[in-house]
């Protein structure tokens, strides 16, 4: 019983000593580094006017404007995030029976500006510009920046 008591006291003592160890005595805070050069991307979206599903000419024009803008944003997202390609091929007797490809783009584009939006014949075209300096400023403005108020050492 005496040995058990001594071991318990030693174990509790070691636990108390290691609880105050210096392994995690500070907190490191990282700071963003501003790039020297910011790229500028451009994208063009196109949409047919006459194929829009409406009986009114003005509404078809407005729908084509929106479709061309969405198409340009999709092109910007492709440039920024890349494109995912899924392929599927089925074979029988060493001959390709069916081959399918699916492409998708996913991402959030902030800070893009419409440069031009205009009709050319039966097509509506929208040109977008994305300056990464604007994106950098948006991200910095929307992040919760904190400065060191006090430092505590454990």
């Amino acid at each position: 019983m005496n040995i058990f008591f001594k071991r318990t006291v030693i174990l509790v003592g070691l636990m108390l000593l290691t609880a105050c160890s210096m392994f995690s005595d500070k907190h490191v805070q990282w700071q963003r580094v501003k790039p020297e050069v910011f790229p500028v991307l451009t994208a063009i979206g196109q949409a047919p006017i006459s194929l829009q599903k409406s009986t009114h000419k003005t509404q078809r024009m407005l729908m084509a404007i929106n479709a061309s803008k969405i198409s340009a944003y999709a092109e910007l997202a492709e440039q920024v995030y890349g494109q995912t390609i899924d392929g599927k091929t089925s074979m029988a007797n060493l001959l390709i029976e069916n081959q399918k490809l699916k492409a998708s783009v996913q991402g959030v584009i902030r800070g893009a500006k419409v440069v031009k939006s205009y009709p050319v014949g039966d097509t509506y075209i929208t040109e977008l510009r994305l300056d990464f300096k604007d994106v950098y400023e948006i991200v910095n403005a929307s992040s919760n920046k904190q400065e060191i108020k006090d430092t505590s050492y454990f």
Side-chain angles (χ1 to χ4, degrees):
M1 181 100 168
N2 196 12
I3 294 174
F4 178 72
F5 180 73
K6 286 181 182 178
R7 287 184 181 173
T8 305
V9 169
I10 291 172
L11 183 63
V12 170
L14 286 173
M15 287 173 60
L16 288 174
L17 285 175
T18 57
C20 299
S21 82
M22 298 295 223
F23 291 117
S24 60
D25 64 343
K26 62 183 175 180
H27 172 72
V28 177
Q29 190 172 0
W30 296 93
Q31 179 179 336
R32 284 193 175 99
V33 177
K34 188 173 183 176
E36 293 178 14
V37 178
F38 293 96
V40 177
L41 302 177
T42 58
I44 297 175
Q46 302 175 2
I49 299 169
S50 64
L51 297 179
Q52 301 300 319
K53 295 181 179 182
S54 177
T55 56
H56 302 287
K57 182 180 179 182
T58 306
Q59 190 175 15
R60 281 195 307 268
M61 177 71 81
L62 292 173
M63 292 168 79
I65 291 170
N66 283 336
S68 68
K69 188 175 179 182
I70 290 170
S71 175
Y73 270 102
E75 185 178 328
L76 272 180
E78 181 182 328
Q79 291 178 44
V80 173
Y81 297 103
Q83 195 174 54
T84 302
I85 307 291
D86 292 324
K88 188 175 188 179
T89 304
S90 59
M91 292 178 62
N93 296 328
L94 297 176
L95 298 173
I96 294 178
E97 285 188 343
N98 194 5
Q99 191 169 23
K100 294 181 182 180
L101 287 175
K102 178 184 171 186
S104 63
V105 173
Q106 184 175 359
V108 176
I109 300 294
R110 292 194 281 176
K113 294 183 174 96
V114 175
V115 177
K116 290 182 190 176
S117 195
Y118 53 93
V120 174
D122 187 43
T123 304
Y124 211 90
I125 298 173
T126 299
E127 297 179 17
L128 292 180
R129 179 177 185 267
L130 180 63
D131 188 346
F132 272 84
K133 185 174 184 185
D134 295 338
V135 174
Y136 180 82
E137 297 299 328
I138 289 170
V139 169
N140 274 343
S142 64
S143 67
N144 289 334
K145 289 180 129 182
Q146 296 179 351
E147 292 182 0
I148 297 175
K149 181 179 178 181
D150 188 26
T151 304
S152 299
Y153 292 97
F154 307 106

